[in-house]
Amino acid sequence: MIAAQQVHRQRSTAYSLYASNCPVAPSEGVRKMSVRMRWISSALVIATLTAIPLGCSANDESPTAPPSSAPSSANFTSQEFSVPFTVTLPNSLTPQPSEDTKNLISWGALTGQNGVRFLLPVVVYPDSKTPQPPPKDYPSYLRGLVSAGATYVDQSTTTVAGQQATLMTGTTTSALDGTLGCPAATTPVETCFGLQPDLALRIAVVNLNGRTLVAWARTQQGDAGAPEFFAEFEAMLHTLKVP
């Protein structure tokens, strides 16, 4: 009995040594279980990836969502203006003017109260009472309004449509109706254009085909966005072309 047990222990030890050096191939059952575990692991990975938001849903509100496209600049060609021209409008202005007449074109801003006007003055009201023909030296005439309460800053010159243009930013402490001019001799002074206490105007004066063009960008006094709007106005003037 004892001898038989010793023989069994010797065989077991020999088998263990053989197995450690010569691994036995896994049985079909083991292989099937291994395949099943790999399938379960793959399914878990796919489920996890599906649950992760990738930033492509229609309701994505993450900071990395692509911004909406900004509106593009619009090219404008005058229809009724006495001096035909084309110009590229800044994005801040409406593509079509609110007025396009023989001597006046006006654009409003898409938002707010800013605006741009092109005026060919027919008469002016230096004292806001008596109409007079447009002065030959318009920049000097405007500077003369300082005695009536006008103030001018940031005066400079530039080139518009191949002609020298004078630029200045005007404000006033009292209403100066009609001082910039009127589009018709019959236009009442109160509906003509001039410096006003609540406004700041970036004014440009340029001679186009023998006519004086007075153009200006309008903002409220104290508007923090005025410098940017005035810069857009000047960039607009540099695109102006006269046939």
Side-chain angles (χ1 to χ4, degrees):
M1 182 68 176
I2 294 174
Q5 290 177 349
Q6 290 177 345
V7 171
H8 177 74
R9 283 196 296 270
Q10 290 173 354
R11 289 178 177 177
S12 296
T13 301
Y15 179 80
S16 297
L17 291 172
Y18 175 81
S20 63
N21 292 287
C22 301
V24 179
S27 66
E28 183 66 17
V30 173
R31 286 198 297 270
K32 288 182 178 179
M33 183 176 292
S34 177
V35 171
R36 180 175 177 81
M37 291 302 295
R38 287 198 298 268
W39 182 87
I40 292 173
S41 298
S42 300
L44 288 173
V45 171
I46 293 172
T48 301
L49 292 175
T50 303
I52 298 175
L54 300 179
C56 297
S57 72
N59 296 321
D60 190 299
E61 293 181 341
S62 69
T64 57
S68 57
S69 300
S72 59
S73 300
N75 293 323
F76 173 80
T77 300
S78 64
Q79 301 298 319
E80 303 294 335
F81 209 56
S82 296
V83 180
F85 69 88
T86 61
V87 72
T88 300
L89 303 176
N91 296 336
S92 56
L93 295 180
T94 56
Q96 295 301 321
S98 57
E99 297 174 276
D100 184 356
T101 62
K102 184 178 179 180
N103 295 313
L104 175 66
I105 297 182
S106 302
W107 293 272
L110 289 173
T111 60
Q113 300 180 4
N114 293 349
V116 168
R117 297 189 195 275
F118 282 14
L119 174 68
L120 298 174
V122 176
V123 296
V124 297
Y125 285 82
D127 57 1
S128 297
K129 296 178 181 179
T130 307
Q132 295 184 9
K136 293 182 179 180
D137 188 348
Y138 221 96
S140 295
Y141 158 72
L142 292 177
R143 296 185 185 103
L145 297 176
V146 169
S147 61
T151 299
Y152 298 103
V153 297
D154 297 332
Q155 299 188 48
S156 63
T157 59
T158 188
T159 301
V160 175
Q163 302 295 319
Q164 179 174 297
T166 300
L167 293 166
M168 59 183 74
T169 300
T171 57
T172 183
T173 56
S174 58
L176 299 177
D177 296 341
T179 51
L180 289 179
C182 308
T186 56
T187 305
V189 62
E190 60 271 14
T191 57
C192 290
F193 302 102
L195 298 174
Q196 301 297 326
D198 60 331
L199 301 177
L201 306 183
R202 184 61 173 166
I203 304 169
V205 179
V206 59
N207 184 284
L208 295 180
N209 293 350
R211 298 287 302 274
T212 298
L213 171 67
V214 183
W216 64 89
R218 176 190 71 248
T219 68
Q220 296 293 307
Q221 279 210 50
D223 184 354
E228 180 179 0
F229 186 62
F230 289 165
E232 290 179 351
F233 168 66
E234 292 186 35
M236 171 184 172
L237 291 177
H238 290 149
T239 69
L240 189 144
K241 297 180 181 179
V242 177

